[in-house]
Amino acid sequence: MKKILSLLLCLTVLTLFSGCANDKETTSNNTENTNELKIVTSFYPIYIETINITKGIDGVVVENMTKPQTGCLHDYQMTPADMKKLENANIFIANGAGMESFLEDIINNQKQLHVIDSSANIPLLIDEHGENPHVWVSISNCITQVETITEELSKIDPNHADQYHKNAEDYIARLKDLQNEMHAAIDPLPNKKIVTFHEAFPYFAEEFNLDIVGVIEREPGTAPTPTELTDIISQVKNLPTKALFAEPQYSSTAAEAIANETGAKIYTLDPVVTGKDDPDAYIKAMQENAKTLQEALK
């Protein structure tokens, strides 16, 4: 127990100095042209979905509200710059499912703004901490979000409805190819038990029949309690394949401490909450996730 408490103290101190996410860049294609339809997205995965739907459509501008290093919006507080973006926007597209705790305030205070909840048609997973908002990490849910955004944009902007639907059909076809490719890679793996960094992967695990037996940090930046740390170490020691999955946006300090106690190897799974201004970013990250799982669980 002294060793566990010592590990916990180190993790807590180091967490105070760790950032929430990395500094990858997402650029904006915003403009001051008042004739344009201005769409603001809440954070990175919704931005990627939306730029695929609006690709090549003249007069439609998409800007991401939050800074590129923000990551998940668990406890995000809106800034004056965010409010200015929304005041100049026509449409705000959110993940929903509780990810944006400020969403109700936006709906109440920005009466001119059309708000799209992209998770509206997705059954949510619920645990002891409530509804899990990380729906996009499942490819099936990502497809549903693309469909929902497309339908809502078409209602708001019917002049571009055909283009929205054509772009969405093209992107969904690629997502379905990705889905088949990942099932082919993951389904045959002999070991399906994994320990993840935080609660970003339950929808992913459900889709690919993985069993999450432990979570290192329930909330990013919050070190595990002594009891949680003891339990995770015990779970990892009992795994047939000792692998821990960190995330590229967050410090791997906690995972490293557990690895030192168990001999487990650390791998990286990307929930795609940060990245470059690249329409293919989600597909590329998921392909890397499949390769990582193949290496770790073979």
Side-chain angles (χ1 to χ4, degrees):
M1 180 56 71
K2 288 182 178 180
K3 184 179 290 187
I4 295 297
L5 289 172
S6 177
L7 283 170
L8 181 63
L9 178 62
C10 292
L11 291 176
T12 302
V13 172
L14 288 169
T15 295
L16 293 174
F17 295 94
S18 65
C20 181
N22 65 10
D23 58 355
K24 296 175 183 176
E25 295 184 356
T26 301
T27 62
S28 163
N29 57 348
N30 192 28
T31 173
E32 296 301 320
N33 188 339
T34 56
N35 293 323
E36 291 173 330
L37 181 71
K38 296 182 180 179
I39 301 172
V40 172
T41 56
S42 61
F43 76 134
Y44 185 72
I46 307 305
Y47 175 76
I48 295 300
E49 292 172 0
T50 304
I51 62 174
N52 275 284
I53 297 167
T54 60
K55 182 171 58 178
I57 301 178
D58 292 337
V60 177
V61 177
V62 181
E63 182 178 15
N64 200 38
M65 184 184 76
T66 51
K67 294 180 179 180
Q69 70 271 22
T70 303
C72 289
L73 304 182
H74 295 292
D75 299 309
Y76 185 78
Q77 299 294 319
M78 293 185 66
T79 68
D82 297 335
M83 295 303 297
K84 185 175 180 180
K85 289 178 185 177
L86 293 177
E87 287 171 1
N88 294 324
N90 305 107
I91 300 169
F92 179 65
I93 305 177
N95 178 76
M99 176 59 73
E100 298 91 351
S101 59
F102 50 80
L103 188 57
E104 186 174 348
D105 288 339
I106 290 176
I107 294 171
N108 292 334
N109 297 324
Q110 301 287 341
K111 299 296 185 182
Q112 87 291 352
L113 198 62
H114 295 279
V115 177
I116 298 174
D117 179 347
S118 64
S119 68
N121 298 315
I122 296 173
L124 301 180
L125 297 177
I126 302 174
D127 60 21
E128 66 270 22
H129 304 285
E131 294 175 337
N132 190 310
H134 302 85
V135 295
W136 71 91
V137 189
S138 156
I139 300 172
S140 296
N141 289 343
C142 180
I143 290 172
T144 300
Q145 286 185 300
V146 170
E147 292 171 339
T148 297
I149 294 169
T150 300
E151 291 303 320
E152 294 303 313
L153 286 179
S154 297
K155 293 175 185 176
I156 298 167
D157 181 25
N159 291 334
H160 294 120
D162 290 344
Q163 292 167 287
Y164 292 137
H165 279 94
K166 176 63 170 63
N167 284 343
E169 288 170 6
D170 291 345
Y171 189 47
I172 288 170
R174 297 184 63 211
L175 289 172
K176 288 182 177 178
D177 287 342
L178 170 68
Q179 194 174 40
N180 293 332
E181 174 187 329
M182 291 186 68
H183 272 292
I186 297 171
D187 289 353
L189 295 175
N191 303 307
K192 298 295 180 69
K193 295 181 183 295
I194 62 174
V195 174
T196 61
F197 174 74
H198 89 292
E199 295 281 18
F201 286 93
Y203 294 97
F204 181 93
E206 181 181 60
E207 180 156 16
F208 294 105
N209 297 311
L210 299 171
D211 181 11
I212 299 176
V213 298
V215 176
I216 297 171
E217 295 185 7
R218 291 291 172 181
E219 291 292 339
T222 303
T225 66
T227 299
E228 289 172 339
L229 196 57
T230 301
D231 289 344
I232 294 169
I233 288 172
S234 176
Q235 289 163 344
V236 173
K237 286 181 176 179
N238 291 326
L239 289 176
T241 301
K242 293 177 176 55
L244 303 173
F245 294 94
E247 297 174 21
Q249 292 83 14
Y250 306 105
S251 168
S252 61
T253 302
E256 289 168 0
I258 296 167
N260 288 336
E261 287 296 308
T262 61
K265 186 173 180 180
I266 300 174
Y267 298 87
T268 299
L269 286 179
D270 190 353
V272 205
V273 293
T274 57
K276 296 179 180 179
D277 191 359
D278 178 3
D280 295 335
Y282 180 86
I283 290 175
K284 291 176 180 177
M286 285 295 173
Q287 288 172 331
E288 287 301 313
N289 285 340
K291 291 178 183 177
T292 297
L293 288 167
Q294 279 185 306
E295 179 183 352
L297 302 178
K298 60 186 177 182

